[in-house]
Amino acid sequence: AAAPAPLLALALALRTLNCFLVQTSFVPDEYWQSLEVAHRMVIHNYGYLTWEWTSSLRGYSYPLIFASMYKALQLLAKDNVQLLIWVPRLAQAMLAAFADVKLYSLVLHLENSETAKFVFFCQLCSWFTWYSCTRTLTNTMETILTIFALSYYPIKGYKMGNSCKYLALVALAIVVRPTAVIPWMPLVFSHFLQEQRKADLILQKCIPVGLVTVGTSLIIDRVFFGEWVLVQLNFLKFNVLQNLATFYGSHPWHWYFTQGLPVVLGPHLPFFIHGCALAPRRYHIFLLAVIWTVLVYSTLNHKEFRFIYPVLPFCMIFCGYSLKHLKAWKKSAASFLLLSNLLPALYTGLVHQRGTLDVMSHIQQLCNNPHQSQAFVFILMPCHSTPFYSHVHCPLKMRFLQCPPDLTGNDSYVDEADVFYSNPLGWLNKEFYNDTLLPSHLIFFSVLEQEISPFLALRGYEKTATVFHTHVPQGRVGSHIYIYRRKTEMNH
């Protein structure tokens, strides 16, 4: 009883639409850890590598997927900037659609077609899945691989279980993002406990699968780093042992319980709680995976919504289970879920934080300008606010404010972005003491305009574009983005 073809067609159509209805930025990693790196892999030294790459914290296996798409486009002479932006996103959307259907067939084999349809429905109308599943984030790939692995996981009474397949997919997810090990710990351990032939499982399945995946990822990294590197170990050292991720902000221990999970689940929350209360015992392992993951992440200071995205599909199984048992209320509950998720999905996908992507089309136009060689774009924003060469695809001179964490243990360390924001006007005057050094274009959030206006007036800059970004400006992030061009630049 495989998933019917119309279901796959529906998922593919919906995720393609999903892909084009998400035009906002979420977090910098979406570009800086995938597309930017891929761009550099294909077009030599024409793409920026962040400090994570110079410190070998990230592996090349994931960007390699996009690099091969870029290479194919290049060979077909179709590597225009729009295709470079949308092809990876569409590929991610296709994978997400297959994952949706995998989730359906998992529940179909465990329960019945009615429950499976409700789980599928919950998965499709989850606003956070809609917001994240077509993005080129490692968290997205980790979630997709987790669903694929789950569909082969041996649960009692499940005929489709396949130890080799699920372990290989879990290993792949760990290569993409080492944190994938967290949700799978209780699941693998539970499988180990109920397995009769424990030695066989370890010697014939776990070890070979582990060696093949880690070996492949080691070789890929050897090719691109030019030396042998075990990135997973570096990642662990940085994030857990040195706890340097707190550089990017820290949250109270309860954040995932009070904000993280409720926001990610959104309107599904009451159905999730109801489903947890109803679900039969064999589903407790899924619930354990969710609670365990949230608990482990709660011990780390740096917290983000996307970190718990991989347990969202587990939650959808409980939500679907809840809907199925809502006898008379089924229809109204389903309508409520659909409508209440639609608004946040469309708002976060089309409106909130779209300026940093829209501004890239203004930068792309400079590539067609005869004065392109004289153009110099300086992005005066919190670092990595916008994508970079992967969204420009021409050798334009560009610069942004740097913000690597301090890897030397210097207590008085302040990154370039912080130095700039402590005194923007003074910083600009000191940095550009000579007119020949001045950028042709400055791009910054509206909140900065008043403070640096003396510099703009004195150096002959004029505003050429205003781009909407968000209705909820915070701190250094303004509601609009301004593009200023230096008048003298284009007149000679």
Side-chain angles (χ1 to χ4, degrees):
L7 221 54
L8 181 59
L10 171 70
L12 284 167
L14 203 76
R15 290 303 176 209
T16 307
L17 178 69
N18 185 170
C19 176
F20 292 112
L21 288 180
V22 174
Q23 297 176 20
T24 52
S25 68
F26 179 11
V27 283
D29 277 13
E30 189 177 338
Y31 322 103
W32 293 84
Q33 309 297 355
S34 53
L35 303 183
E36 192 61 27
V37 182
H39 196 273
R40 190 188 167 98
M41 287 160 80
V42 175
I43 298 135
H44 292 293
N45 301 329
Y46 174 12
Y48 186 92
L49 291 186
T50 58
W51 63 272
E52 286 102 327
W53 296 87
T54 46
S55 311
S56 319
L57 285 193
R58 300 283 182 144
Y60 279 97
S61 307
Y62 182 56
L64 186 59
I65 302 170
F66 304 116
S68 32
M69 293 175 199
Y70 285 175
K71 193 70 198 169
L73 287 169
Q74 195 186 39
L75 294 172
L76 295 166
K78 290 271 184 277
D79 58 337
N80 70 54
V81 68
Q82 291 306 321
L83 284 176
L84 292 185
I85 293 170
W86 288 104
V87 168
R89 295 273 320 265
L90 277 166
Q92 206 84 46
M94 300 293 133
L95 278 174
F98 280 106
D100 296 336
V101 173
K102 275 286 184 203
L103 194 62
Y104 169 86
S105 45
L106 167 75
V107 183
L108 180 67
H109 289 294
L110 278 173
E111 290 289 325
N112 50 42
S113 66
E114 196 189 356
T115 315
K117 276 180 185 144
F118 279 118
V119 171
F120 185 67
F121 171 78
C122 287
Q123 169 75 359
L124 289 185
C125 69
S126 153
W127 83 269
F128 192 79
T129 301
W130 177 273
Y131 183 56
S132 310
C133 75
T134 63
R135 297 181 184 276
T136 52
L137 278 165
T138 50
N139 310 83
T140 301
M141 189 55 95
E142 179 191 357
T143 306
I144 287 171
L145 289 169
T146 290
I147 297 178
F148 283 137
L150 203 55
S151 69
Y152 296 112
Y153 178 75
I155 311 165
K156 286 195 184 92
Y158 182 52
K159 314 258 187 317
M160 308 301 288
N162 181 323
S163 303
C164 265
K165 280 186 183 172
Y166 105 81
L167 287 167
L169 287 157
V170 170
L172 205 55
I174 294 169
V175 164
V176 168
R177 193 173 172 87
T179 51
V181 74
I182 299 169
W184 280 99
M185 273 167 147
L187 289 154
V188 173
F189 187 61
S190 158
H191 173 207
F192 176 73
L193 289 181
Q194 62 181 2
E195 181 66 53
Q196 259 80 55
R197 305 196 299 268
K198 290 182 172 43
D200 283 4
L201 177 67
I202 290 177
L203 296 172
Q204 291 175 14
K205 292 178 179 149
C206 291
I207 292 177
V209 161
L211 286 175
V212 170
T213 16
V214 173
T216 310
S217 113
L218 265 174
I219 291 164
I220 291 171
D221 288 335
R222 170 78 181 82
V223 171
F224 291 102
F225 278 117
E227 57 184 1
W228 293 106
V229 180
L230 191 58
V231 288
Q232 289 77 14
L233 193 66
N234 295 347
F235 185 90
L236 184 80
K237 262 197 324 214
F238 175 86
N239 285 304
V240 182
L241 307 177
Q242 296 174 294
N243 204 6
L244 284 170
T246 50
F247 180 78
Y248 294 110
S250 53
H251 297 79
W253 67 270
H254 55 76
W255 188 83
Y256 283 118
F257 292 98
T258 52
Q259 286 175 54
L261 200 58
V263 167
V264 166
L265 275 165
H268 284 76
L269 184 63
F271 300 96
F272 171 64
I273 295 168
H274 179 232
C276 289
L278 284 181
R281 227 185 114 176
R282 60 183 173 158
Y283 287 115
H284 289 182
I285 185 63
F286 294 159
L287 185 56
L288 180 66
V290 174
I291 295 168
W292 162 258
T293 304
V294 175
L295 281 172
V296 171
Y297 274 123
S298 296
T299 63
L300 299 173
N301 288 331
H302 180 58
K303 300 175 173 67
E304 290 186 42
F305 293 115
R306 63 191 172 108
F307 292 171
I308 53 169
Y309 176 33
V311 297
L312 198 53
F314 293 86
C315 301
M316 291 304 133
I317 295 175
F318 294 99
C319 297
Y321 205 84
S322 158
L323 275 183
K324 154 94 169 47
H325 289 84
L326 281 177
K327 303 193 173 53
W329 295 90
K330 272 195 195 85
K331 276 215 173 87
S332 24
S335 312
F336 163 76
L337 266 182
L338 188 63
L339 294 170
S340 59
N341 276 282
L342 197 63
L343 277 168
L346 292 174
Y347 181 76
T348 55
L350 291 170
V351 183
H352 180 59
Q353 294 182 356
R354 67 170 296 145
T356 49
L357 290 184
D358 288 346
V359 83
M360 297 314 286
S361 55
H362 291 271
I363 300 179
Q364 287 158 19
Q365 283 161 18
L366 295 176
C367 295
N368 315 324
N369 191 318
H371 298 294
Q372 183 209 318
S373 55
Q374 289 138 13
F376 168 22
V377 178
F378 197 163
I379 300 165
L380 290 171
M381 293 183 180
C383 68
H384 307 133
S385 287
T386 64
F388 216 49
Y389 284 109
S390 64
H391 283 52
V392 177
H393 193 53
C394 80
L396 202 61
K397 186 181 177 191
M398 297 200 291
R399 183 180 163 189
F400 62 94
L401 296 167
Q402 304 280 341
C403 63
D406 172 43
L407 301 167
T408 58
N410 169 9
D411 288 340
S412 57
Y413 171 81
V414 186
D415 67 63
E416 185 181 46
D418 283 342
V419 175
F420 167 77
Y421 278 105
S422 64
N423 177 9
L425 191 59
W427 190 92
L428 286 169
N429 285 325
K430 194 171 143 195
E431 189 75 13
F432 302 111
Y433 57 89
N434 183 332
D435 275 11
T436 55
L437 302 170
L438 285 168
S440 60
H441 293 75
L442 290 174
I443 297 176
F444 50 85
F445 282 118
S446 45
V447 285
L448 200 62
E449 187 181 45
Q450 208 175 349
E451 205 167 344
I452 62 170
S453 57
F455 174 85
L456 299 170
L458 188 67
R459 299 292 202 277
Y461 283 98
E462 58 179 350
K463 192 189 297 184
T464 56
T466 300
V467 179
F468 169 79
H469 182 60
T470 176
H471 290 121
V472 272
Q474 277 176 320
R476 297 172 179 179
V477 177
S479 59
H480 291 76
I481 295 170
Y482 294 152
I483 302 177
Y484 270 79
R485 189 185 69 193
R486 197 156 173 249
K487 281 183 281 216
T488 51
E489 275 296 316
M490 300 301 164
N491 298 345
H492 51 239

